[in-house]
Amino acid sequence: MNLNAVLRLNTLLLSVVFFLFGSAWSETPDLYFTEIHHCPAEPEPEWVEVYNASGRSLPIEEYRFCNRTKNWSVGKSRGRDSIAPYETVLFSRDTLLLREYLGFKDVRLIQYAMGYLNNTAGSIAICKGDTVIDSVAWDRSTVACPSGFNPRTLRAENTPGFQKAYENPEAGGRRGSARREPEAPFTFKLSTRVVRLNKTPLRVYIESEQSVALKLLDSMGREQWKMEVPPYTNAWLNVPLQQLSDIGVIYISLSSGRYEKLVGLLVRP
């Protein structure tokens, strides 16, 4: 089969997936995908992020990935058997390797034989019994490897374990409800995505016709530093890292009005 035939087949399969699973997108479910990393850079294993947007605990054993018959499980001695309200969980075939790659312990990982995710065109869905709760499909145009992406915005994202909680009036004000990301009112660049603790400086370049709130957040999303960037600054700004005392993931938050962009960075020794 030639390449064009393969691409046509993949497009047809994706159409079928959206037809079968489309009902899962009609409203925000209690449990849904927030990141898909189907083609990470080696040796990082593939992983998906799932978020409990409800106000109650959800028993893990009631859910599974729809292409697998085995329900999710944390094992007999691996801790909690439910996903807490507003909790984020990462699923991977190799949690030990993923933990080593992430380099921090704040994120909850669950090991699951979820199979291999197709790099060019694929799909994955969450089932409760025989009911599809949420589903995601992607192809070559969704995101360029090795980036992961947020299924709700269809934009590249790498913020494992962190969710921005906010009120969405269109979704009934439910905490954590998903919304489409509006057009960015500013542009920005980062000097690096990997910093060495107390050794590598971090700078952010912002171009905007409006003022922008620039924040440094720790791995739990707690604010460590903030500055208000005036309009038309158009300059590289230094972000102080002295407040950080440990390695792991940190976040840069940029917001203007009701728009916010969150970017994850990795702090190494």
Side-chain angles (χ1 to χ4, degrees), residues 218-234:
D218 64 13
S219 62
M220 298 295 290
R222 297 170 296 202
E223 183 179 313
Q224 302 297 306
W225 172 84
K226 176 182 179 180
M227 76 172 295
E228 196 73 20
V229 182
Y232 303 102
T233 298
N234 299 353

Side-chain angles (χ1 to χ4, degrees), residues 181-227:
E181 186 175 351
E183 184 178 354
F186 54 79
T187 60
F188 70 97
K189 298 178 183 177
L190 298 177
S191 60
T192 181
R193 290 291 295 271
V194 179
V195 298
R196 298 184 63 190
L197 191 61
N198 299 324
K199 295 180 181 179
T200 306
L202 175 61
R203 297 184 299 161
V204 182
Y205 182 88
I206 300 176
E207 291 186 358
S208 176
E209 298 179 358
Q210 307 173 30
S211 62
V212 176
L214 175 62
K215 301 178 184 179
L216 173 67
L217 311 178
D218 64 13
S219 62
M220 298 295 290
R222 297 170 296 202
E223 183 179 313
Q224 302 297 306
W225 172 84
K226 176 182 179 180
M227 76 172 295

Side-chain angles (χ1 to χ4, degrees), residues 5-17:
V6 171
L7 292 177
R8 286 196 298 269
L9 178 60
N10 284 337
T11 301
L12 176 61
L13 290 175
L14 287 174
S15 300
V16 172
V17 168

Side-chain angles (χ1 to χ4, degrees), residues 1 59 65-66 74 90 112 130 135 138 141 156 166 174 178 194 212 223 241 245 252 265 267:
M1 184 179 295
F65 293 122
C66 299
V74 293
L90 270 59
Y112 184 83
D130 294 328
S135 62
W138 61 89
S141 64
Y166 50 80
R174 182 171 53 187
V194 179
V212 176
E223 183 179 313
L241 302 178
S245 59
I252 291 294
L265 298 93
V267 178

Side-chain angles (χ1 to χ4, degrees), residues 77-97:
S77 60
R78 297 182 185 177
R80 292 168 292 165
D81 58 0
S82 62
I83 302 177
Y86 314 117
E87 182 180 28
T88 299
V89 179
L90 270 59
F91 288 87
S92 176
R93 296 186 312 275
D94 191 337
T95 53
L96 290 178
L97 182 58

Side-chain angles (χ1 to χ4, degrees), residues 150-161:
N150 183 326
R152 302 287 152 170
T153 64
L154 295 180
R155 298 192 179 188
E157 187 171 327
N158 186 22
T159 56

Side-chain angles (χ1 to χ4, degrees), residues 32-262:
Y32 57 83
F33 293 107
T34 46
E35 281 191 54
I36 305 293
H37 288 256
H38 58 295
C39 55
E42 296 291 344
E44 180 185 3
E46 296 172 345
W47 56 275
V48 298
E49 182 182 77
V50 174
Y51 178 60
N52 177 8
S54 74
R56 65 185 189 280
S57 295
L58 301 177
I60 288 178
E61 69 274 6
E62 293 184 0
Y63 299 88
R64 62 183 173 87
F65 293 122
C66 299
N67 64 336
R68 292 289 183 268
T69 58
K70 184 178 179 181
N71 284 14
W72 296 344
S73 173
V74 293
K76 296 181 179 180
S77 60
R78 297 182 185 177
R80 292 168 292 165
D81 58 0
S82 62
I83 302 177
Y86 314 117
E87 182 180 28
T88 299
V89 179
L90 270 59
F91 288 87
S92 176
R93 296 186 312 275
D94 191 337
T95 53
L96 290 178
L97 182 58
L98 181 58
R99 178 76 71 189
E100 180 180 345
Y101 180 85
L102 296 178
F104 68 108
K105 300 181 179 180
D106 296 337
V107 162
R108 184 181 180 188
L109 307 180
I110 293 180
Q111 187 166 336
Y112 184 83
M114 52 191 243
Y116 288 91
L117 304 179
N118 194 299
N119 290 356
T120 56
S123 64
I124 188 170
I126 300 172
C127 278
K128 183 177 182 181
D130 294 328
T131 302
V132 177
I133 303 301
D134 191 32
S135 62
V136 179
W138 61 89
D139 59 21
R140 292 177 184 269
S141 64
T142 303
V143 67
C145 292
S147 295
F149 69 96
N150 183 326
R152 302 287 152 170
T153 64
L154 295 180
R155 298 192 179 188
E157 187 171 327
N158 186 22
T159 56
F162 181 84
Q163 304 296 330
K164 175 64 176 177
Y166 50 80
E167 297 295 333
N168 181 2
E170 295 181 359
R174 182 171 53 187
R175 182 185 178 194
S177 301
R179 64 180 178 186
R180 285 288 177 183
E181 186 175 351
E183 184 178 354
F186 54 79
T187 60
F188 70 97
K189 298 178 183 177
L190 298 177
S191 60
T192 181
R193 290 291 295 271
V194 179
V195 298
R196 298 184 63 190
L197 191 61
N198 299 324
K199 295 180 181 179
T200 306
L202 175 61
R203 297 184 299 161
V204 182
Y205 182 88
I206 300 176
E207 291 186 358
S208 176
E209 298 179 358
Q210 307 173 30
S211 62
V212 176
L214 175 62
K215 301 178 184 179
L216 173 67
L217 311 178
D218 64 13
S219 62
M220 298 295 290
R222 297 170 296 202
E223 183 179 313
Q224 302 297 306
W225 172 84
K226 176 182 179 180
M227 76 172 295
E228 196 73 20
V229 182
Y232 303 102
T233 298
N234 299 353
W236 285 98
L237 306 169
N238 293 321
V239 178
L241 302 178
Q242 292 86 345
Q243 296 91 332
L244 303 174
S245 59
D246 200 2
I247 62 174
V249 169
I250 60 173
Y251 303 93
I252 291 294
S253 168
L254 303 100
S255 60
S256 181
R258 303 183 71 176
Y259 177 89
E260 181 177 21
K261 179 68 176 180
L262 193 69

